[in-house]
Amino acid sequence: MNAIQKFEEDPLLLEFLKEDYNPEVYSSNVIAAQKVSASLQILRDGIDKIDAALEDHVSEHYEDLINQATGMDILEESLVLVKGRVELIQRSMTNIKRRLSEPYLQMQTRTKQLSRLQKSCDVLRRVSRIQYLTKRLRQQLDGGMKEITKASQTFNELDFLFGEGDLKGITCIDKDLQWIEEGRKKVEKQAAQLLQQGLSSLNQNQATSALQVYYSFDKLKPVVRNFLDENISDVRSSLKLALSGNDHVSHGLGPGT
């Protein structure tokens, strides 16, 4: 029989086990019945019985209570150990993250520096080549018609170098840009004159040199097309004029002439 069953069977303590027990109502009833002394004795006896029951319960379940207390201690130690290991793992992860992030940031910085160095080297290479070609172009333009083909090839290479990227703002380049454009116009004008002379005199060398200039300037197709259109138009005009002259002759030599 457990302690609760003993209390339920004890008429002195049964009153205190009721779910609707109210200490104020109980006190009022005791005072009304004038049983204060008796009730106090009952309460003291009840307290003694509860203390005795608790001692009996502890004695009967001593091993279980000790085991439970020991188990709680072990569980607490385990929790402390797990917590310590979790914190160790977190510190390790932080260290790993730092060790990985630092090389990554360094590599990112080095990559950016390398990219900028490559761009700088490319600009310097182009600027150096442009300066060399500009100097050579001055000599070629001074050579007149005999250097016109070589000059056009130099212009072609200059166009390629300028087309690789914007070089505006570089002082040594900006000061020559206007001169280069003026030189290009001069060579195109000379090529037009040379082509006209070559076609008029049937000079193959002159015509070939002029066409080579237009090829270097990437203007060969429109120039040839324009030349053909003009000559076709001239041929048509000549044919019309010739046929018109024949008609007049035919009319003049009619019957009876």
Side-chain angles (χ1 to χ4, degrees):
M1 183 180 297
N2 57 36
I4 298 300
Q5 290 176 336
K6 290 180 180 180
F7 295 157
E8 289 177 346
E9 294 176 358
D10 191 330
L12 297 176
L13 301 175
L14 183 60
E15 178 70 22
F16 301 99
L17 294 176
K18 294 180 180 179
E19 293 183 2
D20 59 349
Y21 170 75
N22 190 321
E24 295 180 357
V25 174
Y26 177 79
S27 300
S28 298
N29 291 335
V30 169
I31 294 171
Q34 298 181 353
K35 295 180 179 180
V36 175
S37 298
S39 296
L40 288 175
Q41 184 60 45
I42 291 173
L43 291 174
R44 282 192 290 269
D45 293 341
I47 291 171
D48 292 338
K49 289 181 179 180
I50 291 173
D51 288 338
L54 287 174
E55 290 179 2
D56 292 340
H57 183 76
V58 172
S59 298
E60 292 176 2
H61 301 87
Y62 178 79
E63 294 294 334
D64 293 337
L65 292 173
I66 293 297
N67 291 335
Q68 289 180 3
T70 304
M72 291 297 294
D73 292 339
I74 295 174
L75 179 59
E76 186 176 0
E77 291 177 358
S78 299
L79 289 175
V80 172
L81 181 61
V82 171
K83 182 180 179 181
R85 291 180 177 177
V86 170
E87 292 177 351
L88 181 62
I89 292 174
Q90 288 177 339
R91 287 197 297 270
S92 299
M93 292 298 294
T94 302
N95 291 333
I96 292 173
K97 182 179 179 181
R98 178 177 55 80
R99 291 176 181 177
L100 290 177
S101 62
E102 287 180 358
Y104 172 76
L105 293 175
Q106 290 177 358
M107 182 175 64
Q108 190 178 43
T109 302
R110 294 292 185 271
T111 301
K112 186 180 295 186
Q113 291 174 342
L114 178 61
S115 176
R116 291 175 178 176
L117 285 172
Q118 288 176 336
K119 290 180 180 179
S120 299
C121 290
D122 179 65
V123 170
L124 290 174
R125 175 188 61 80
R126 289 161 56 202
V127 168
S128 176
R129 183 62 179 171
I130 288 172
Q131 288 181 317
Y132 169 77
L133 292 175
T134 302
K135 182 179 179 181
R136 187 175 71 181
L137 183 62
R138 291 182 185 275
Q139 297 173 351
Q140 292 169 344
L141 293 181
D142 290 340
M145 286 289 191
K146 63 181 181 178
E147 296 289 337
I148 189 173
T149 302
K150 293 180 180 180
S152 68
Q153 294 172 348
T154 301
F155 277 115
N156 181 270
E157 187 174 353
L158 284 171
D159 289 340
F160 175 77
L161 292 171
F162 281 116
E164 284 188 325
D166 188 11
L167 296 176
K168 291 182 180 179
I170 300 177
T171 305
C172 61
I173 298 298
D174 289 343
K175 66 183 181 66
D176 290 330
L177 285 176
Q178 185 176 357
W179 178 84
I180 291 173
E181 287 303 315
E182 292 175 354
R184 184 194 305 275
K185 293 178 182 179
K186 178 181 178 181
V187 170
E188 285 187 16
K189 185 177 180 180
Q190 290 176 343
Q193 294 173 354
L194 190 63
L195 179 61
Q196 187 64 37
Q197 292 175 4
L199 294 176
S200 299
S201 62
L202 299 179
N203 189 317
Q204 184 176 355
N205 291 331
Q206 290 181 331
T208 301
S209 297
L211 293 176
Q212 179 63 45
V213 172
Y214 286 117
Y215 175 79
S216 297
F217 286 167
D218 197 23
K219 293 183 178 181
L220 180 60
K221 288 184 179 180
V223 168
V224 172
R225 187 181 298 112
N226 183 60
F227 170 76
L228 292 176
D229 291 341
E230 289 179 354
N231 281 272
I232 290 173
S233 178
D234 291 343
V235 170
R236 286 176 178 173
S237 298
S238 298
L239 287 174
K240 287 182 180 180
L241 182 61
L243 292 174
S244 175
N246 290 335
D247 288 341
H248 287 304
V249 173
S250 298
H251 288 303
L253 298 175
T257 302

